Coordinates of all heavy atoms in Angstrom, one line a residue:
K192 N 28.8 -22.2 15.8 CA 29.0 -23.4 15.0 C 29.9 -23.1 13.8 O 30.0 -22.0 13.4 CB 27.7 -24.0 14.6 CG 26.8 -24.6 15.7 CD 25.6 -25.3 15.1 CE 24.9 -25.9 16.3 NZ 23.7 -26.7 15.8
E193 N 30.4 -24.2 13.3 CA 31.3 -24.1 12.0 C 30.3 -23.8 10.8 O 29.1 -24.2 10.8 CB 32.0 -25.5 11.8 CG 33.0 -25.8 12.8 CD 34.3 -25.1 12.5 OE1 34.6 -24.8 11.4 OE2 34.9 -24.8 13.5
R194 N 30.9 -23.3 9.9 CA 30.3 -22.9 8.5 C 30.1 -24.3 7.9 O 31.1 -25.1 7.7 CB 31.0 -22.0 7.6 CG 30.2 -21.5 6.5 CD 31.0 -20.5 5.8 NE 31.0 -19.2 6.7 CZ 31.5 -18.1 6.2 NH1 31.7 -17.9 4.9 NH2 31.7 -17.0 7.1
E195 N 28.8 -24.6 7.5 CA 28.6 -26.0 6.8 C 28.0 -25.9 5.5 O 27.3 -24.9 5.2 CB 27.7 -26.8 7.8 CG 26.2 -26.3 8.0 CD 25.3 -27.1 8.7 OE1 25.9 -28.1 9.2 OE2 24.1 -26.9 8.8
F196 N 28.3 -26.9 4.7 CA 27.8 -27.0 3.4 C 26.3 -27.2 3.3 O 25.7 -28.0 4.2 CB 28.4 -28.2 2.7 CG 28.0 -28.5 1.3 CD1 28.3 -27.8 0.2 CD2 27.0 -29.6 1.2 CE1 27.8 -28.1 -1.0 CE2 26.6 -29.8 -0.1 CZ 26.9 -29.1 -1.2
V197 N 25.6 -26.6 2.4 CA 24.1 -26.8 2.2 C 23.8 -27.4 0.8 O 23.2 -28.4 0.9 CB 23.4 -25.4 2.4 CG1 21.9 -25.7 2.1 CG2 23.7 -24.9 3.7
A198 N 24.3 -26.7 -0.1 CA 24.0 -27.2 -1.5 C 25.0 -26.5 -2.5 O 25.6 -25.5 -2.2 CB 22.6 -26.9 -1.9
A199 N 25.1 -27.2 -3.7 CA 26.0 -26.6 -4.8 C 25.4 -27.0 -6.1 O 24.7 -28.0 -6.2 CB 27.4 -27.1 -4.5
I200 N 25.8 -26.2 -7.1 CA 25.4 -26.5 -8.5 C 26.4 -26.1 -9.5 O 27.2 -25.1 -9.3 CB 24.1 -25.7 -8.8 CG1 23.6 -26.1 -10.2 CG2 24.3 -24.2 -8.7 CD1 22.1 -25.6 -10.4
R201 N 26.6 -26.8 -10.5 CA 27.5 -26.5 -11.6 C 26.9 -25.6 -12.6 O 25.8 -25.8 -13.0 CB 28.0 -27.8 -12.4 CG 28.8 -28.7 -11.6 CD 29.2 -29.9 -12.5 NE 30.0 -30.9 -11.8 CZ 31.4 -30.9 -11.9 NH1 32.1 -30.1 -12.6 NH2 32.0 -31.9 -11.3
W202 N 27.6 -24.5 -13.0 CA 27.1 -23.6 -14.0 C 26.9 -24.3 -15.3 O 25.9 -24.1 -16.0 CB 28.0 -22.5 -14.2 CG 27.8 -21.3 -13.3 CD1 28.6 -21.1 -12.2 CD2 26.7 -20.4 -13.1 NE1 28.1 -19.9 -11.5 CE2 27.0 -19.5 -12.0 CE3 25.6 -20.2 -13.9 CZ2 26.1 -18.5 -11.7 CZ3 24.7 -19.1 -13.6 CH2 25.0 -18.3 -12.5
S203 N 27.8 -25.1 -15.6 CA 27.8 -25.9 -16.9 C 27.2 -27.3 -16.6 O 27.9 -28.1 -15.9 CB 29.1 -26.0 -17.6 OG 29.1 -26.7 -18.8
G204 N 26.1 -27.6 -17.2 CA 25.5 -28.9 -17.0 C 24.5 -29.0 -15.8 O 23.5 -29.8 -15.9
G205 N 24.6 -28.2 -14.8 CA 23.6 -28.1 -13.8 C 23.6 -29.2 -12.7 O 22.6 -29.3 -12.0
S206 N 24.7 -30.0 -12.6 CA 24.7 -31.1 -11.5 C 24.5 -30.4 -10.2 O 25.0 -29.3 -10.0 CB 26.0 -31.8 -11.7 OG 26.1 -32.5 -12.9
T207 N 23.8 -31.1 -9.4 CA 23.5 -30.5 -8.0 C 24.0 -31.5 -6.9 O 24.1 -32.7 -7.1 CB 22.0 -30.1 -7.8 OG1 21.3 -31.4 -8.1 CG2 21.6 -29.2 -8.7
Y208 N 24.3 -30.8 -5.7 CA 24.8 -31.6 -4.6 C 24.1 -31.0 -3.4 O 24.0 -29.8 -3.3 CB 26.3 -31.4 -4.5 CG 27.0 -31.5 -5.8 CD1 27.4 -30.5 -6.6 CD2 27.5 -32.9 -6.1 CE1 28.1 -30.7 -7.8 CE2 28.2 -33.0 -7.4 CZ 28.4 -32.0 -8.1 OH 29.1 -32.1 -9.4
Y209 N 23.7 -31.9 -2.4 CA 23.0 -31.4 -1.2 C 23.6 -32.1 0.1 O 24.0 -33.3 0.1 CB 21.6 -31.7 -1.3 CG 20.9 -31.0 -2.5 CD1 20.6 -31.6 -3.7 CD2 20.3 -29.8 -2.2 CE1 20.0 -30.9 -4.7 CE2 19.6 -29.1 -3.2 CZ 19.5 -29.7 -4.5 OH 18.8 -29.0 -5.4
A210 N 23.5 -31.3 1.2 CA 23.8 -31.9 2.4 C 22.6 -32.8 2.8 O 21.4 -32.5 2.4 CB 23.9 -30.8 3.5
D211 N 22.8 -33.9 3.5 CA 21.7 -34.7 3.9 C 20.6 -34.0 4.7 O 19.4 -34.4 4.5 CB 22.3 -35.9 4.8 CG 23.1 -36.9 3.9 OD1 23.0 -36.9 2.7 OD2 23.8 -37.7 4.5
S212 N 20.9 -33.1 5.4 CA 20.0 -32.4 6.3 C 19.0 -31.5 5.6 O 18.0 -31.1 6.1 CB 20.8 -31.6 7.3 OG 21.5 -30.5 6.6
V213 N 19.3 -31.3 4.3 CA 18.3 -30.4 3.5 C 17.8 -31.1 2.3 O 16.9 -30.5 1.6 CB 19.0 -29.1 3.1 CG1 19.7 -28.3 4.3 CG2 20.1 -29.4 2.0
K214 N 18.2 -32.4 2.0 CA 17.7 -33.1 0.9 C 16.2 -33.2 1.0 O 15.6 -33.6 2.1 CB 18.4 -34.4 0.8 CG 19.6 -34.5 0.1 CD 20.3 -35.9 0.1 CE 21.6 -35.9 -0.5 NZ 22.2 -37.3 -0.4
G215 N 15.5 -33.0 -0.1 CA 14.1 -33.1 -0.2 C 13.4 -31.8 0.3 O 12.1 -31.7 0.1
R216 N 14.0 -30.8 0.9 CA 13.4 -29.6 1.4 C 14.0 -28.4 0.6 O 13.3 -27.5 0.4 CB 13.7 -29.4 2.9 CG 13.2 -30.5 3.8 CD 13.2 -30.1 5.2 NE 14.6 -30.0 5.7 CZ 15.0 -28.9 6.2 NH1 14.2 -27.9 6.5 NH2 16.3 -28.8 6.6
F217 N 15.3 -28.4 0.3 CA 15.9 -27.3 -0.4 C 16.3 -27.7 -1.8 O 16.5 -28.8 -2.1 CB 17.3 -27.0 0.3 CG 17.1 -26.3 1.6 CD1 15.9 -26.3 2.4 CD2 18.2 -25.7 2.3 CE1 15.8 -25.7 3.6 CE2 18.2 -25.2 3.5 CZ 16.9 -25.2 4.2
T218 N 16.2 -26.7 -2.7 CA 16.5 -26.9 -4.1 C 17.4 -25.8 -4.6 O 17.0 -24.6 -4.4 CB 15.2 -26.9 -4.9 OG1 14.4 -28.0 -4.6 CG2 15.7 -27.1 -6.4
V219 N 18.6 -26.2 -5.1 CA 19.5 -25.1 -5.7 C 19.3 -25.0 -7.2 O 19.1 -26.1 -7.9 CB 21.0 -25.5 -5.4 CG1 21.4 -26.8 -5.9 CG2 21.9 -24.3 -5.8
S220 N 19.2 -23.8 -7.8 CA 19.0 -23.7 -9.2 C 19.8 -22.4 -9.7 O 20.4 -21.8 -8.8 CB 17.5 -23.5 -9.6 OG 17.0 -22.4 -8.9
K221 N 19.8 -22.2 -11.0 CA 20.6 -21.1 -11.6 C 19.8 -20.5 -12.7 O 19.0 -21.2 -13.4 CB 22.0 -21.5 -11.9 CG 22.0 -22.7 -13.0 CD 23.4 -23.1 -13.3 CE 23.4 -24.4 -14.3 NZ 22.9 -23.9 -15.5
D222 N 20.1 -19.3 -13.1 CA 19.7 -18.6 -14.2 C 20.8 -18.0 -14.9 O 21.4 -17.0 -14.5 CB 18.5 -17.5 -13.9 CG 18.0 -16.9 -15.1 OD1 18.6 -16.8 -16.1 OD2 16.8 -16.4 -14.9
N223 N 21.4 -18.7 -16.0 CA 22.6 -18.3 -16.6 C 22.4 -16.8 -17.1 O 23.4 -16.1 -17.1 CB 22.9 -19.3 -17.7 CG 23.4 -20.5 -17.2 OD1 22.7 -21.2 -16.3 ND2 24.5 -21.0 -17.6
A224 N 21.3 -16.6 -17.7 CA 21.1 -15.3 -18.4 C 21.2 -14.1 -17.3 O 21.6 -13.0 -17.7 CB 19.8 -15.2 -19.1
K225 N 20.8 -14.4 -16.1 CA 20.8 -13.4 -15.0 C 22.0 -13.5 -14.2 O 22.3 -12.6 -13.3 CB 19.6 -13.5 -14.2 CG 18.3 -13.2 -14.9 CD 17.1 -13.3 -14.0 CE 15.8 -12.9 -14.7 NZ 14.6 -12.9 -13.8
N226 N 22.9 -14.5 -14.4 CA 24.1 -14.8 -13.6 C 23.6 -14.8 -12.1 O 24.3 -14.2 -11.2 CB 25.1 -13.6 -13.8 CG 26.1 -14.0 -14.9 OD1 26.0 -15.1 -15.5 ND2 27.1 -13.1 -15.1
T227 N 22.6 -15.5 -11.9 CA 22.1 -15.6 -10.5 C 21.9 -17.1 -10.1 O 21.4 -17.9 -11.0 CB 20.8 -14.9 -10.4 OG1 21.0 -13.5 -10.8 CG2 20.2 -14.9 -8.9
V228 N 22.2 -17.4 -8.8 CA 21.9 -18.7 -8.3 C 21.0 -18.6 -7.1 O 20.9 -17.6 -6.5 CB 23.2 -19.3 -7.7 CG1 23.0 -20.6 -7.1 CG2 24.3 -19.5 -8.9
Y229 N 20.0 -19.6 -7.0 CA 18.9 -19.5 -6.1 C 19.0 -20.7 -5.1 O 19.5 -21.7 -5.4 CB 17.6 -19.5 -6.8 CG 17.4 -18.4 -7.8 CD1 17.6 -18.7 -9.2 CD2 17.0 -17.2 -7.4 CE1 17.5 -17.7 -10.1 CE2 16.9 -16.1 -8.3 CZ 17.1 -16.4 -9.6 OH 16.9 -15.5 -10.6
L230 N 18.5 -20.5 -3.9 CA 18.3 -21.6 -3.0 C 16.8 -21.5 -2.5 O 16.5 -20.6 -1.8 CB 19.2 -21.5 -1.8 CG 19.2 -22.7 -0.8 CD1 19.6 -24.0 -1.5 CD2 20.0 -22.4 0.3
Q231 N 16.0 -22.4 -3.0 CA 14.6 -22.5 -2.5 C 14.6 -23.3 -1.3 O 15.0 -24.5 -1.4 CB 13.7 -23.0 -3.6 CG 12.3 -23.2 -3.3 CD 11.6 -21.9 -3.0 OE1 11.8 -20.9 -3.8 NE2 10.8 -21.7 -1.9
M232 N 14.1 -22.8 -0.2 CA 14.1 -23.5 1.1 C 12.6 -23.7 1.4 O 11.9 -22.7 1.8 CB 14.8 -22.7 2.1 CG 16.3 -22.4 1.7 SD 17.2 -21.6 3.0 CE 16.3 -20.0 3.2
N233 N 12.2 -25.0 1.5 CA 10.8 -25.2 1.9 C 10.8 -26.0 3.2 O 11.8 -26.6 3.7 CB 10.2 -26.1 0.8 CG 10.0 -25.3 -0.5 OD1 9.8 -24.1 -0.5 ND2 10.0 -26.1 -1.6

């Protein structure tokens, strides 16, 4: 299959974007101090 979008987040401001297929199940977040982005998948 093609590579598909799941989620995204802005470093500044923290706005988030999700694919419809994962809304309500996945959460994207960031830790600026650790320079790390997370994807929590439930």
Side-chain angles (χ1 to χ4, degrees):
K192 294 189 176 181
E193 293 282 326
R194 191 170 298 189
E195 65 175 5
F196 172 79
V197 175
I200 187 168
R201 289 181 184 264
W202 275 104
S203 178
S206 296
T207 56
Y208 313 92
Y209 293 96
D211 288 342
S212 59
V213 306
K214 279 181 183 175
R216 300 188 299 124
F217 291 12
T218 302
V219 60
S220 64
K221 60 185 176 65
D222 185 329
N223 291 49
K225 295 182 178 180
N226 269 2
T227 301
V228 177
Y229 303 98
L230 184 68
Q231 177 66 45
M232 306 185 294
N233 297 329

